[in-house]
Amino acid sequence: MRSRSLWFAVLGMVGFLFAGFAQTPKDVLIIGMSHEPIIDFEPARVYEFEGGFVLEQVYDQLVNFVGGKEAFEKIVPGLAESWELSEDGLTWIFHIRKGVKFHSGNPVTADAVVFSLRRSLTLAYPPVWIIQQFIPSPEMVQKIDDYTVAITMNQQVGEMLMAAVLGYQGICSIVDPAVVQAHATPDDPYATKWLAEHDAGSGPFMLKEWIRRDRIVLEAFPDYWRGKPALRQVIIKDIPDPASQKLALERGDIDVAWNLLPEMIADLKAKGQMKIIETPSWSFHYLAMNVGYEPLSNVKVRQAIRWAIDYDAITKGILGGAAVKCHTFVPIGMFGHLDLYYYQDLEKARELMREAGYENGFSVELLTRTDPPFPDIAAQIKEDLKKINIDVKVTIMTYSELLKIYRAQQHQMVLVRWGVDYADPSAQAIPFAHCETTGPEAKVKQLAWRNKYVSGVTAWVEQATGELDVRKREIMYKAIQAIVLEEGPYAILYSPLTQIAARKVVQGLEIPPMWYYTELFSVSKTG
Amino acid sequence: MIAYLVRRLAWMVFVLMGVMTLVFFVSRVIPADPIAAMLGGQAPPELVEKLKAKWDLDKPVIQQYIIYLYRLSQGDLGISIASGRPVMADLLHYFPATFELATAGTILSIFFGILLGVISAVKRGSFIDHVARVSALLGVSMPVFWSGLLMLLLFYYTLGWLPGGGQLPYYMSPPPRITGLVTIDSLISGQFSVFVVALKHLVLPSLVLSFFGTAAISRITRSSMLDVLREEYVTTARSKGLSEGKVVMRHALKNALLPVITVIGITYGRLLEGSVITETVFSWPGLGRYATNAFLALDFPAVVGSSMFIALLYAVINLIVDISYAYLNPKIRYH
């Protein structure tokens, strides 16, 4: 009798544990995403993509970008409903939208804009360089009246560049001064500790809950100036493992899976039960050649290497189609992109090696990162360059080890990744093509400098940054790209696709080339 | 006994200092730049230098060590480069989830391990013994990333009996954080339904975690039981007419447990340091992922802090194991 009761108890317990599970509610969007890179949500500090994605929903900027692949082609008014440039071309005047409220209910005014931008410039966290390069001092942001702000730049800055910089998430987010001041302390006058975990924004969603490496809960802000969001709540759940994300999506426990691997996307495409959203990202995987290393100092050798690589084997073979070919540093879809492509031509490559006097080849070391797909791509490059007698020794190391060597100009070749910082070609031309000297006195110590490539187009890069004539500016960037493509130290291989899988009930989810600008305001669910 | 404890505690401090010193210097001789890696390839060099100064990384290593020692004496483990928060706050945030999972995993390991070990020993050479030994072998050799995904595929994806990952359903808010253990916090705050759901979420990851421990415990239980079952006092017990169950459970098992306790201690220690793979597959916000990420990013303060914390856990478990010997075998005395 006693043992029978025990069995019933055990069976009851098992039944209890194995009872069914609820599905995601219709007005709640559940996103599976890895939270590993997230540090916190202090707008002046956020620099990582995942943090930027959250801030995109919580804060507004003066100008905005909306939509999918074409998001950055059109500047949309944000908290500023209009703007104009002063006659000397140095000061942008912004007219702030009236009647906009912060989540606290306080109004958005010129004071809030001035406070927020000065706050970011004063706190000077890592991403500050994006605005500081044009607005070096907090005093350059001035209030004219309650709804007008003047921002003076240190050089002429056209509308596109202005929008790319002032539309940047995080550092250019407008925060509620009253809320910030309410949480300020003597040793933290800008309430950075409080803002790291809370919000003071005016965006379509409010940050309701954040549990590190677990969940982020956003709740719709009913008084949002563009209208109430279609979703009541968004839950961004930390699911670090792509395989677990896929299982959760297919079981219907999450609505969107953000970090699936290309083969998982291919599987879902084949099954046809999910919606796959793909956008070429504004980032590159590229091979850099140190011009300070003798054989690579010869421009013909660098050209030979570019003609020897089998780009299709990389994009279609190794990456299974999860990338698009892109060889110029202004990415596809960005203003000023030069549509030129390389393909493997071994005869041409061998001829260039002969002309360079390296018919019998040479040895070179290629450094790359440990994480996929870098080792596989390095192996492909080794195989390709062997065909023109270049013996590549591949060394795989952690990113922190690699960067130390790369920054010290001590590599021969590296295979790494580069992402666009803000939506303007100057964000690319400056690192890739600005280098007047290889010494420590160089003004910009980024990619051209690291590869000891004294660029003949440095002056053009500076000129193009401040050019106000759009057509002229476009021609200048195309010319810079053509020259760097021909003689520069890079073999840009491809842009990876951002691939997101969602349940078919999810509507209105569009992914821009910089995915962290994805807006959830217009997203809804049909079931 | 008290003198013994004091000596062990002093030894523990010595071990922790040793671990700290070793990890501190080893991590700093690696030719890498964690600040550059954290900021990414784009960051201007001036910014990298500025942040290096913030973490004292611009100073000679010996000076960095002295600064660290001084801060440690104030109970400060430093600020994590990756999270920007005190390492102690991070450890206390992530450890409860690992503690909950490791404890559940160890309980399952003990239950299944001893059960299988005893049955194997008593039915030595039988079919059930072979099955138990093969299971033990599988438990030790199956990689967790595989067994974890297999369990998810079967019990979550295909059968739908158990939840997939996380400590609670994705749409459910956790109970107010008191201990950090979701099961306990839900009970304290009177949310019984949350407790049940949290328990369901514990089943799969703790089962996967228990495989290795079950295998180790069952093997040692079996061999220890076989030794004990040959002892004369077991024969005496049988000859007195006691039932086989009483002989095995009361006379043999208790005496066979001594080596098993050591294995249990090692198993628990291993699980408490966090399993990065189990935590990743099951989206568990634990210490394993935190420590592994710290090591990969060479987040110096977090690397040293995590290492000391894990060393402390091992030291405490070893102490508990040693003390428990005395209760199992009164002949053991501490000097």
Side-chain angles (χ1 to χ4, degrees):
Chain A
M1 192 65 199
R2 199 178 134 201
S3 71
R4 193 178 291 172
S5 312
L6 189 69
W7 274 114
F8 277 129
V10 170
L11 283 176
M13 190 68 184
V14 170
F16 201 36
L17 284 173
F18 284 48
F21 306 101
Q23 289 293 307
T24 68
K26 191 183 166 187
D27 54 356
V28 177
L29 185 77
I30 304 188
I31 299 173
M33 183 187 276
S34 169
H35 287 202
E36 304 278 348
I38 292 176
I39 297 174
D40 59 39
F41 300 118
E42 161 53 69
R45 187 162 49 207
V46 168
Y47 202 17
E48 65 285 352
F49 299 156
E50 289 73 4
F53 172 66
V54 173
L55 292 194
E56 177 70 24
Q57 322 310 326
V58 174
Y59 290 92
D60 278 316
Q61 295 81 34
L62 287 171
V63 294
N64 207 356
F65 303 102
V66 178
K69 288 175 188 164
E70 297 83 26
F72 298 106
E73 288 174 16
K74 201 170 73 182
I75 306 159
V76 179
L79 290 180
E81 56 186 357
S82 62
W83 47 84
E84 72 250 0
L85 186 60
S86 65
E87 275 184 21
D88 63 3
L90 287 173
T91 302
W92 279 97
I93 315 284
F94 294 91
H95 302 283
I96 310 300
R97 193 179 298 277
K98 289 178 182 153
V100 178
K101 284 183 192 165
F102 282 111
H103 299 156
S104 62
N106 296 328
V108 175
T109 60
D111 285 319
V113 174
V114 173
F115 175 84
S116 304
L117 295 179
R118 286 185 174 185
R119 177 181 184 274
S120 289
L121 285 161
T122 309
L123 286 169
Y125 284 123
V128 76
W129 70 270
I130 291 169
I131 47 173
Q132 217 170 33
Q133 59 182 334
F134 304 112
I135 314 165
S137 150
E139 282 66 45
M140 293 167 90
V141 183
Q142 291 287 343
K143 170 186 170 183
I144 293 179
D145 61 40
D146 281 352
Y147 288 94
T148 314
V149 172
I151 301 177
T152 305
M153 312 270 183
N154 60 357
Q155 64 175 92
Q156 289 194 337
V157 165
E159 187 183 36
M160 179 173 296
L161 178 52
M162 173 281 287
V165 170
L166 291 174
Y168 191 85
Q169 301 154 336
I171 37 167
C172 293
S173 292
I174 306 305
V175 301
D176 184 341
V179 171
V180 171
Q181 277 148 9
H183 295 93
T185 58
D187 62 337
D188 185 17
Y190 285 113
T192 57
K193 284 185 187 134
W194 188 83
L195 265 191
E197 298 181 357
H198 302 88
D199 95 74
S202 59
F205 291 91
M206 300 178 284
L207 180 61
K208 187 187 164 205
E209 182 184 31
W210 174 39
I211 302 173
R212 282 169 196 270
R213 299 266 169 92
D214 189 358
R215 64 206 310 259
I216 297 160
V217 181
L218 305 174
E219 197 145 87
F221 176 43
D223 294 332
Y224 185 51
W225 60 273
R226 283 159 73 191
K228 194 180 163 192
L231 295 164
R232 176 175 60 84
Q233 206 176 58
V234 175
I235 297 172
I236 306 167
K237 172 70 192 166
D238 180 32
I239 308 179
D241 180 40
S244 306
Q245 262 187 38
K246 181 168 177 275
L247 291 181
L249 180 74
E250 291 187 289
R251 281 286 303 170
D253 282 347
I254 59 173
D255 299 306
V256 185
W258 217 276
N259 309 102
L260 300 188
L261 301 176
E263 58 268 27
M264 296 173 180
I265 293 282
D267 179 53
L268 290 176
K269 269 185 191 170
K271 285 181 182 163
Q273 287 158 349
M274 297 290 157
K275 198 182 269 189
I276 307 294
I277 307 155
E278 293 178 314
T279 301
S281 69
W282 280 359
S283 65
F284 311 104
H285 289 185
Y286 71 97
L287 174 78
M289 301 170 254
N290 189 340
V291 178
Y293 179 63
E294 200 195 302
L296 298 176
S297 59
N298 189 317
V299 68
K300 292 200 172 176
V301 170
R302 303 202 295 271
Q303 285 168 354
I305 288 173
R306 281 190 280 265
W307 285 111
I309 295 171
D310 187 349
Y311 301 94
D312 287 335
I314 295 173
T315 52
K316 291 178 186 154
I318 296 172
L319 299 162
V324 289
K325 270 170 63 168
C326 179
H327 303 321
T328 49
F329 59 74
V330 175
I332 297 166
M334 185 185 264
F335 166 81
H337 167 69
L338 181 66
D339 219 13
L340 279 184
Y341 296 94
Y342 275 98
Y343 53 89
Q344 190 183 40
D345 186 338
L346 291 172
E347 270 319 300
K348 191 184 270 189
R350 286 186 192 119
E351 180 57 35
L352 284 162
M353 288 290 277
R354 259 194 300 277
E355 286 173 22
Y358 287 103
E359 197 175 354
N360 297 323
F362 57 88
S363 292
V364 65
E365 185 184 34
L366 169 62
L367 310 180
T368 196
R369 304 166 51 148
T370 50
D371 47 323
F374 292 102
D376 288 341
I377 295 171
Q380 177 69 42
I381 290 172
K382 180 183 169 77
E383 200 176 302
D384 291 339
L385 298 193
K386 201 173 164 187
K387 292 172 185 157
I388 56 167
N389 292 330
I390 298 177
D391 176 29
V392 179
K393 180 183 171 260
V394 177
T395 305
I396 297 171
M397 52 178 60
T398 62
Y399 190 40
S400 56
E401 286 174 276
L402 187 149
L403 264 184
K404 188 171 185 178
I405 298 169
Y406 192 20
R407 282 175 171 276
Q409 305 169 305
Q410 284 167 348
H411 62 292
Q412 292 173 4
M413 293 205 298
V414 296
L415 174 66
V416 276
R417 176 189 174 281
W418 180 268
V420 173
D421 274 305
Y422 52 92
D424 184 86
S426 67
Q428 294 296 92
I430 293 171
F432 277 86
H434 189 296
C435 181
E436 71 283 27
T437 166
T438 59
E441 69 282 10
K443 207 162 106 191
V444 176
K445 288 186 196 153
Q446 287 194 308
L447 302 192
W449 182 83
R450 280 180 212 165
N451 292 294
K452 297 191 180 173
Y453 167 59
V454 178
S455 159
V457 291
T458 298
W460 289 12
V461 172
E462 289 184 1
Q463 252 177 291
T465 304
E467 180 56 58
L468 297 182
D469 183 330
V470 176
R471 182 76 192 124
K472 209 169 155 189
R473 194 165 186 247
E474 186 180 2
I475 293 167
M476 288 176 88
Y477 279 121
K478 286 189 172 170
I480 295 169
Q481 284 170 85
I483 292 167
V484 174
L485 187 68
E486 182 70 10
E487 64 177 45
Y490 321 104
I492 296 173
L493 307 172
Y494 61 87
S495 289
L497 290 179
T498 303
Q499 297 178 305
I500 310 289
R503 290 172 64 218
K504 286 198 168 157
V505 294
V506 177
Q507 304 292 318
L509 182 63
E510 293 184 283
I511 310 294
M514 295 198 271
W515 70 260
Y516 40 101
Y517 279 82
T518 302
E519 275 208 330
L520 298 178
F521 169 67
S522 330
V523 175
S524 61
K525 277 168 71 178
T526 55
Chain B
M1 182 73 174
I2 288 173
Y4 172 79
L5 273 180
V6 170
R7 252 199 334 274
R8 284 292 297 261
L9 288 173
W11 180 243
M12 215 186 266
V13 173
F14 180 74
V15 167
L16 288 182
M17 290 306 290
V19 167
M20 186 275 281
T21 306
L22 191 71
V23 175
F24 188 95
F25 285 103
V26 168
S27 60
R28 271 157 179 84
V29 294
I30 295 171
D33 190 339
I35 300 285
M38 178 195 71
L39 293 174
Q42 267 100 322
E46 311 80 56
L47 185 66
V48 175
E49 293 311 314
K50 191 177 141 192
L51 283 188
K52 271 186 189 162
K54 189 178 164 192
W55 268 275
D56 299 315
L57 297 175
D58 55 341
K59 298 187 174 67
V61 178
I62 291 293
Q63 199 179 335
Q64 290 179 39
Y65 181 68
I66 293 166
I67 294 171
Y68 190 85
L69 269 184
Y70 173 73
R71 291 201 182 131
L72 192 63
S73 69
Q74 320 277 308
D76 179 6
L77 288 176
I79 306 286
S80 155
I81 297 173
S83 75
R85 288 207 313 165
V87 172
M88 186 63 93
D90 278 346
L91 292 174
L92 293 178
H93 178 83
Y94 295 117
F95 180 64
T98 294
F99 180 75
E100 197 165 31
L101 187 56
T103 306
T106 306
I107 291 170
L108 290 180
S109 296
I110 295 171
F111 177 75
F112 290 120
I114 293 181
L115 188 70
L116 279 179
V118 170
I119 294 173
S120 263
V122 173
K123 308 272 181 192
R124 187 184 175 194
S126 69
F127 176 72
I128 200 161
D129 180 28
H130 294 310
V131 169
R133 282 160 68 191
V134 171
S135 311
L137 198 66
L138 278 177
V140 174
S141 49
M142 258 194 314
V144 175
F145 67 85
W146 185 76
S147 56
L149 277 176
L150 207 67
M151 299 288 277
L152 272 180
L153 210 57
L154 181 65
F155 291 107
Y156 167 61
Y157 183 73
T158 309
L159 299 172
W161 289 357
L162 286 165
Q167 293 178 286
L168 285 172
Y170 301 149
Y171 51 83
M172 189 181 269
S173 277
R177 192 180 171 97
I178 302 161
T179 61
L181 310 170
V182 177
T183 45
I184 304 296
D185 287 350
S186 54
L187 284 179
I188 294 174
S189 53
Q191 301 176 27
F192 189 69
S193 59
V194 177
F195 169 75
V196 173
V197 176
L199 217 53
K200 283 180 188 174
H201 279 252
L202 255 176
V203 175
L204 272 187
S206 57
L207 201 61
V208 169
L209 263 191
S210 74
F211 286 165
F212 188 89
T214 301
I217 293 170
S218 75
R219 280 192 310 179
I220 197 80
T221 307
R222 181 180 182 276
S223 73
S224 181
M225 277 294 283
L226 284 176
D227 288 345
V228 172
L229 285 173
R230 284 192 210 103
E231 295 283 341
E232 283 178 1
Y233 64 83
V234 174
T235 316
T236 310
R238 282 197 179 118
S239 64
K240 279 196 319 191
L242 287 179
S243 69
E244 188 61 17
K246 278 184 182 164
V247 171
V248 171
M249 299 311 286
R250 291 203 186 148
H251 293 264
L253 184 59
K254 194 182 169 193
N255 291 305
L257 275 182
L258 221 54
V260 178
I261 293 289
T262 312
V263 175
I264 290 173
I266 294 168
T267 304
Y268 196 33
R270 266 184 61 145
L271 298 189
L272 277 181
E273 73 183 62
S275 156
V276 63
I277 297 167
T278 311
E279 288 175 8
T280 303
V281 171
F282 289 98
S283 313
W284 206 264
L287 188 65
R289 276 165 64 199
Y290 176 75
T292 307
N293 286 335
F295 277 82
L296 288 177
L298 217 58
D299 181 351
F300 293 133
V303 164
V304 182
S306 308
S307 304
M308 284 175 66
F309 190 73
I310 291 165
L312 178 71
L313 290 173
Y314 267 102
V316 169
I317 288 168
N318 271 333
L319 185 63
I320 294 171
V321 166
D322 288 352
I323 293 169
S324 68
Y325 281 176
Y327 290 95
L328 285 169
N329 188 348
K331 278 193 269 176
I332 295 175
R333 291 281 174 270
Y334 295 98
H335 301 289

